[in-house]
Amino acid sequence: MGKASDAGVNLQDIMAARRRIAPYVVRTPTVLAKGLKERVGAEVALKLDSLQHTGSFKLRGATNRMLRLSPAEREAGVVACSTGNHGRAVAEAARRLGIPAKITLSELVPENKLAGIRAHGAETIIHGRSQDEAFEEAHRLVREEGMTLIDTFDHPDVIAGQGTAGLELLEDMPDIDTLLVPLSGGGLMAGIAVAAKAANPNIRVIGISMERGPAMIESLRAGKPVQVEEQSSLADSLGGGIGLDNRWSFPLVRALGDDFILLSEDEIAAGMTHLYWHEQLVAEGASAVGIGALLSGKVKPRDGGTIATVVSGCNVDMATFTRVVAGDAY
């Protein structure tokens, strides 16, 4: 296992990010799950970043990145490519900081997430049938209009911003020995892993993704970033590639991740259903993968240990959510 500093992000970066973004983000609570201890044999803590202003953890990294732009970069504006939550975060951070913003998205993005981005004041551009094609449009805006790309996950300032959730979690629950983190492009897992391993090198950090197009896990298996076919999933926020030229999140996830788990759609649905009926939480599929991994038995607690998972967002299509928690076909 490598060191976090080898990949360019360290604990000091995350602590500086927390000071920087404090006026703009919520310090979200950590609560014990009421309905899980008996089922899984351990206390389970929930880090509720679904309570951020934009409904997901993404506001942390986007805000930290944009606060570090030069005056000239702010004037030229920013662009982001997003399946929804990152776009919403960039739009909100740009609005708060007075920076022009454009968000590129693929045709697969759910309508509720598109509307959410527009509600925060950013211009939206629909381009292509995949995240990769939407990224092409974002890069064109960088080349031709001089905008700055606010990467979804693969930038040290974004990773450091996401890692602030890990600092808060470990302050609230210092005895955690296992962390379950939703895994897509790896920004959240990388940042939290840096914070966690600095606090306690023996903490297990486990990345959880879906069986349908898990780009980071397929890249880890291949030993390098690879493309995967993007597929529809209840955990749509975990979709998309990690970028073939990934420089930051892939090395950190590879160095600091202790295990990686894939869930079926039924297992993701079980996590969403549990959070709703037993914890009174509305959570998108990506937020529920930690719970799904526990309920399925794919993650086992250590003897006497405490597990924590990040409830990373609540921006779910409510028609789909209602079908899932009612036990109907989805």
Side-chain angles (χ1 to χ4, degrees):
M1 182 176 293
K3 296 180 180 179
S5 57
D6 296 342
V9 179
N10 57 41
L11 179 62
Q12 289 69 37
D13 297 323
I14 298 172
M15 294 176 70
R18 177 165 67 171
R19 292 190 294 270
R20 193 177 295 119
I21 69 176
Y24 303 96
V25 304
V26 175
R27 190 195 190 286
T28 57
T30 303
V31 300
L32 289 177
K34 299 183 289 291
L36 279 175
K37 185 174 182 179
E38 290 186 4
R39 294 192 64 175
V40 306
E43 291 281 12
V44 179
L46 308 175
K47 175 60 172 170
L48 300 182
D49 244 42
S50 54
L51 299 181
Q52 278 298 341
H53 298 307
T54 57
S56 89
F57 74 95
K58 293 284 191 176
L59 188 62
R60 297 174 182 271
T63 301
N64 190 50
R65 173 77 172 100
M66 293 166 69
L67 282 168
R68 288 174 60 80
L69 295 177
S70 70
E73 288 171 329
R74 291 191 182 201
E75 184 177 355
V78 297
V79 60
C81 181
S82 172
T83 54
N85 284 332
H86 178 65
R88 189 178 292 208
V90 170
E92 174 63 14
R95 185 189 67 79
R96 294 281 300 274
L97 297 173
I99 299 173
K102 295 182 181 180
I103 313 297
T104 66
L105 310 99
S106 82
E107 297 171 5
L108 296 179
V109 175
E111 179 60 33
N112 72 298
K113 294 196 173 184
L114 182 62
I117 292 168
R118 289 172 174 161
H120 289 278
E123 178 183 345
T124 57
I125 300 172
I126 308 300
H127 184 88
R129 290 274 307 163
S130 72
Q131 191 79 341
D132 289 334
E133 291 178 0
F135 256 119
E136 292 174 4
E137 177 65 9
H139 287 300
R140 184 192 69 78
L141 292 168
V142 171
R143 291 191 309 270
E144 298 182 8
E145 298 188 17
M147 305 185 86
T148 296
L149 178 68
I150 307 299
D151 198 284
T152 315
F153 47 82
D154 193 35
H155 191 281
D157 290 338
V158 173
I159 293 169
Q162 316 303 28
T164 62
L167 289 183
E168 295 172 7
L169 175 56
L170 291 162
E171 287 173 353
D172 291 343
M173 302 286 294
D175 61 340
I176 289 166
D177 71 3
T178 301
L179 273 169
L180 308 182
V181 187
L183 178 59
S184 178
L188 180 63
M189 181 171 177
I192 285 181
V194 171
K197 297 292 187 178
N200 177 3
N202 295 318
I203 291 179
R204 289 190 301 170
V205 181
I206 301 175
I208 317 291
S209 196
M210 70 291 191
E211 292 177 350
R212 295 182 175 179
M216 179 61 80
I217 292 180
E218 291 296 339
S219 296
L220 292 167
R221 289 171 175 169
K224 63 180 181 181
V226 297
Q227 288 183 319
V228 299
E229 180 183 353
E230 192 170 350
Q231 302 177 47
S232 176
S233 172
L234 285 174
D236 57 279
S237 294
L238 302 185
I242 70 166
L244 295 181
D245 58 349
N246 187 297
R247 296 178 56 200
W248 308 99
S249 64
F250 176 75
L252 279 166
V253 169
R254 180 171 58 180
L256 300 179
D258 294 293
D259 200 1
F260 303 93
I261 306 295
L262 294 177
L263 298 187
S264 69
E265 294 300 294
D266 286 346
E267 290 164 344
I268 296 167
M272 296 171 69
T273 301
H274 176 90
L275 285 171
Y276 180 70
W277 288 109
H278 298 278
E279 314 298 338
Q280 292 75 54
L281 293 171
V282 172
E284 57 191 79
S287 291
V289 293
I291 303 301
L294 289 168
L295 293 175
S296 69
K298 290 183 175 179
V299 172
K300 302 290 187 183
R302 290 171 167 170
D303 289 341
T306 297
I307 298 172
T309 187
V310 182
V311 181
S312 54
C314 64
N315 296 317
V316 62
D317 176 76
M318 290 308 296
T320 300
F321 179 81
T322 301
R323 290 194 297 272
V324 168
V325 299
D328 296 335
Y330 47 81

